[in-house]
Amino acid sequence: MCNSELMKIDFKALKDEVTSLDFDLTDTFFSALEGSQLEHGALHVSVSIRKMAGFFELQFHTVGHVTVSCDRCLDDMEQPISTDNRLIVRLGDTYSEDDDTVTIDESEGILDVSWFIYEFIMLAIPIKHVHAPGKCNSAMTQKLDELSGAVRSGEEEAEAIDPRWQALEKLKVKSEE
């Protein structure tokens, strides 16, 4: 789905106490969003809207996967996404956002939830994303091991005791005896 019009909810037109909406997000959704850091994915989003006294409660349930680059080998990998999020929408004089509460202009009464869904997806992606053991690009992993081996040998040299402190180590050993 890339049609942003379908993701605009007219809150003034909602008649039922509970309304359910479903969205299937594909690559076209991510390419249609300006500023999107994701390009590929396949997700299903279920939105449940409860009309309450003075506000609307939106419950988002998102499952699927997005494609991100592996932090270790830089190859693309599928990152599973499963998240539940909540958003409160109020009708008011002007548009504003505070934590998980959004106030929209009462005269318009429409909110495009596409960017909120995108943010929920981005928050569900772990900070560190790597392939399962043995699934990384072997050429890149080998090069990484070679380079980290050189760094490791430098660290071992740095861990050697500075000769200026060796005399203090001898005193410390004597006091423990």
Side-chain angles (χ1 to χ4, degrees), residues 92-117:
D93 296 333
T94 58
Y95 183 87
S96 69
E97 291 181 32
D98 300 315
D99 295 326
D100 65 346
T101 304
V102 176
T103 304
I104 58 174
D105 187 5
E106 189 170 8
S107 62
E108 188 175 315
I110 296 175
L111 178 66
D112 185 355
V113 295
S114 58
W115 191 256
F116 291 102
I117 291 172

Side-chain angles (χ1 to χ4, degrees), residues 76-91:
D76 284 345
M77 62 174 277
E78 284 188 359
Q79 177 66 51
I81 300 291
S82 179
T83 182
D84 292 305
N85 303 92
R86 179 175 174 252
L87 185 67
I88 302 295
V89 176
R90 297 182 189 278
L91 300 176

